[in-house]
C-alpha cells in the first residue's frame, strides 16, 4: 500500500467521523437524524436586527440604532463614543466602522 492510498483512506475516515459527529444520536428504535436549525439566541437576534437610525441621527445614525436595540438613550451612546474619541481616538474609529458595516433602516 502506497502513501497515496493511505492518505486517501485517512481522508475518508476523517470525513466519515465528521459526518457522524454532525448527526443527532438516535434513540432506541429510531434512525439518526440531522439536527434542526440552531436555537434562537436573543443576542444574535438583536445584532441581526441592528440598523442605523434615520430619525435619531446626528452624523450617521449609529448611536440612534444602538439606542433602539439596547434601550439606552442615544445621548448616552454619544457621550460614550465621545469619551472614547478623547482617549486615543478609538471612538472615532469605532463610529466609522459601525457607520460602514451596520445597514441603514
Amino acid at each position: 500500500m502506497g502513501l497515496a492510498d493511505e492518505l486517501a483512506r485517512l481522508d475518508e475516515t476523517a470525513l466519515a467521523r465528521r459526518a457522524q459527529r454532525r448527526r443527532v444520536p438516535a434513540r432506541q428504535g429510531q434512525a439518526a437524524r440531522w439536527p434542526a436549525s440552531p436555537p434562537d439566541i436573543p443576542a444574535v437576534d438583536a445584532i441581526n436586527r441592528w440598523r442605523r437610525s434615520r430619525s435619531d441621527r446626528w452624523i450617521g445614525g449609529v448611536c440612534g440604532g444602538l439606542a433602539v436595540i439596547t434601550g439606552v438613550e442615544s445621548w448616552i451612546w454619544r457621550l460614550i463614543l465621545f469619551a472614547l474619541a478623547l482617549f486615543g481616538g478609538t471612538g472615532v474609529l469605532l463610529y466609522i466602522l459601525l457607520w460602514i458595516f451596520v445597514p441603514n433602516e
Side-chain angles (χ1 to χ4, degrees), residues 72 84 89 92 102:
V72 177
L84 287 173
V92 175
V102 174

Side-chain angles (χ1 to χ4, degrees), residues 80-96:
I80 291 170
L81 286 173
F82 180 73
L84 287 173
L86 289 178
F87 297 109
T90 56
V92 175
L93 179 65
L94 182 64
Y95 193 90
I96 290 171

Side-chain angles (χ1 to χ4, degrees), residues 65-87:
L66 278 169
V68 169
I69 66 165
T70 61
V72 177
E73 293 290 329
S74 60
W75 67 269
I76 295 174
W77 285 111
R78 290 182 183 108
L79 186 66
I80 291 170
L81 286 173
F82 180 73
L84 287 173
L86 289 178
F87 297 109

Side-chain angles (χ1 to χ4, degrees), residues 5-22:
D5 294 331
E6 287 190 34
L7 288 174
R9 195 180 82 191
L10 182 64
D11 188 43
E12 289 173 6
T13 306
L15 288 174
R17 284 184 183 161
R18 277 190 228 133
Q20 192 174 21
R21 271 189 261 147
R22 287 187 203 142

